[in-house]
């Protein structure tokens, strides 16, 4: 049996330790990529999207029956969209992805006042009434993640693969949003008389200040924002942007590796709601 000296043994141990550290450093980026590729962490199993109806409770302080001086409208589900941009954060943010989460299956209705019974009276330029409100809701388990067209609109030049999208969606619904416990997001928006901020908006309608009450994750927050409203025939469009924080709704932003790779608290929300006049 060959013998080695203590000096040779120390040199061998030192060589082994150095190479082990080098190997770990080399493996770390691969582990990070593997984590990112599975949606920032191993994804929980998630049932397919459900189409079973869930009834959204209407708030008692937002009655929805139209009076004789109001017109009733309904959400056009084919043309309406809510898109949320989720931003990456942490020391290793460069290794992650920003994401766009969207709902195209929005339900709800709206009421608008006819000033003095005249549907053409009200806000200047857009032919809208002096006051109105919209109530809508959508299911979390019907959200899409990273539609290519929406990523392009958001200015992203990369596209995650199907496995990464599935992992991101599973983690979002189970670990972050707790969609089985809180399946719906509800939004109430209203604008009082005199809410117009400016007329024209480069030919796209009238800018008004609206008050939003958003219920997410079992918590309701109210916030003001600006929106553009336009009416063309029997269609009304309401669109705008706002920022909100996940933590305001009791949500802990997703993170792994001690926060080295994380989702930022702040979200950018864009809404484009199309309303059809209800028959009758």
């Amino acid at each position: 049996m060959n013998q080695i000296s203590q000096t040779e043994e120390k040199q061998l141990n030192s060589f082994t330790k150095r190479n082990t550290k080098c190997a770990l450093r080399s493996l770390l980026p691969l582990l990070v990529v593997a984590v990112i590729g599975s949606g920032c962490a191993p994804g929980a199993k998630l049932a397919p999207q459900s189409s079973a109806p869930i009834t959204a409770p209407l708030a008692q302080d937002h009655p929805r029956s139209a009076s004789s001086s109001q017109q009733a409208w309904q959400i056009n589900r084919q043309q309406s969209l809510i898109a949320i941009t989720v931003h990456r954060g942490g020391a290793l943010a460069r290794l992650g992805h920003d994401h766009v989460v969207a709902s195209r299956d929005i339900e709800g209705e709206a009421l608008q006042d006819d000033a003095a019974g005249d549907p053409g009276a009200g806000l200047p330029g857009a032919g809208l009434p002096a006051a109105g409100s919209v109530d809508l809701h959508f299911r979390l388990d019907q959200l899409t993640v990273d539609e290519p067209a929406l990523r392009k609109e958001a200015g992203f030049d990369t596209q995650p693969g199907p496995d990464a999208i599935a992992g991101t969606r599973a983690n979002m619904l189970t670990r972050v949003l707790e969609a089985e416990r809180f399946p719906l997001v509800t939004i109430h928006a209203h604008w009082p008389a005199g809410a117009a901020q400016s007329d024209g908006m480069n030919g796209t309608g009238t800018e008004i200040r609206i008050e939003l009450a958003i219920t997410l994750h079992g918590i309701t927050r109210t916030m003001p924002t600006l929106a553009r409203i336009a009416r063309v025939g029997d269609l009304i469009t309401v669109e705008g942007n706002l920022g909100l924080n996940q933590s305001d709704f009791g949500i802990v932003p997703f993170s792994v590796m001690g926060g080295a790779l994380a989702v930022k608290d702040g979200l950018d929300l864009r809404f484009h709601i199309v309303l059809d006049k209800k028959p009758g």
Side-chain angles (χ1 to χ4, degrees), residues 56-65 70 109 111 132-135 186-191 211-215 220-222:
L58 295 177
Q60 294 182 357
D61 56 343
H62 305 319
R64 304 308 300 154
S65 57
Q70 292 179 316
E109 59 184 6
L111 298 177
S133 64
V134 178
D135 279 284
T186 63
I187 301 176
H188 173 77
H190 73 276
W191 53 95
E211 295 290 331
L212 293 175
I214 301 175
T215 301
T220 300
R221 298 295 184 197
T222 59

Side-chain angles (χ1 to χ4, degrees), residues 85-89 97-99 156 262-268:
T85 302
V86 184
H87 300 281
R88 56 189 165 173
H97 289 105
D98 297 319
H99 297 286
F156 302 150
V263 171
K264 288 185 177 181
D265 191 17
L267 305 172
D268 297 325

Side-chain angles (χ1 to χ4, degrees), residues 166-209:
T168 297
R169 188 173 184 277
N171 286 323
M172 173 186 71
L173 294 181
T174 57
R175 300 185 180 189
V176 179
L177 296 178
E178 299 180 275
E180 288 190 359
R181 183 181 177 192
F182 306 106
L184 288 176
V185 176
T186 63
I187 301 176
H188 173 77
H190 73 276
W191 53 95
Q197 300 293 302
S198 64
D199 185 24
M201 290 297 294
N202 297 319
T204 61
T206 298
E207 185 178 55
I208 64 170
R209 180 170 294 277

Side-chain angles (χ1 to χ4, degrees), residues 52-206:
I54 296 178
T55 302
L58 295 177
Q60 294 182 357
D61 56 343
H62 305 319
R64 304 308 300 154
S65 57
S67 68
S68 58
S69 62
Q70 292 179 316
Q71 295 182 9
W73 300 72
Q74 59 192 3
I75 301 290
N76 185 313
R77 297 171 67 177
Q78 286 70 45
Q79 298 185 48
S80 297
L81 169 72
I82 293 177
I84 302 168
T85 302
V86 184
H87 300 281
R88 56 189 165 173
L92 299 178
R94 68 187 184 281
L95 300 176
H97 289 105
D98 297 319
H99 297 286
V100 180
V101 179
S103 174
R104 294 184 180 274
D105 197 12
I106 305 164
E107 299 183 59
E109 59 184 6
L111 298 177
Q112 67 169 34
D113 290 352
D114 288 340
D118 177 6
L123 296 178
L128 292 173
S133 64
V134 178
D135 279 284
L136 59 86
H137 64 273
F138 58 89
R139 292 174 54 135
L140 292 175
D141 64 1
Q142 293 177 340
L143 292 174
T144 66
V145 176
D146 288 330
E147 295 180 35
L150 294 181
R151 286 187 63 83
K152 185 176 181 180
E153 289 178 13
F156 302 150
D157 56 5
T158 61
Q159 178 62 42
D163 290 343
I165 290 175
T168 297
R169 188 173 184 277
N171 286 323
M172 173 186 71
L173 294 181
T174 57
R175 300 185 180 189
V176 179
L177 296 178
E178 299 180 275
E180 288 190 359
R181 183 181 177 192
F182 306 106
L184 288 176
V185 176
T186 63
I187 301 176
H188 173 77
H190 73 276
W191 53 95
Q197 300 293 302
S198 64
D199 185 24
M201 290 297 294
N202 297 319
T204 61
T206 298

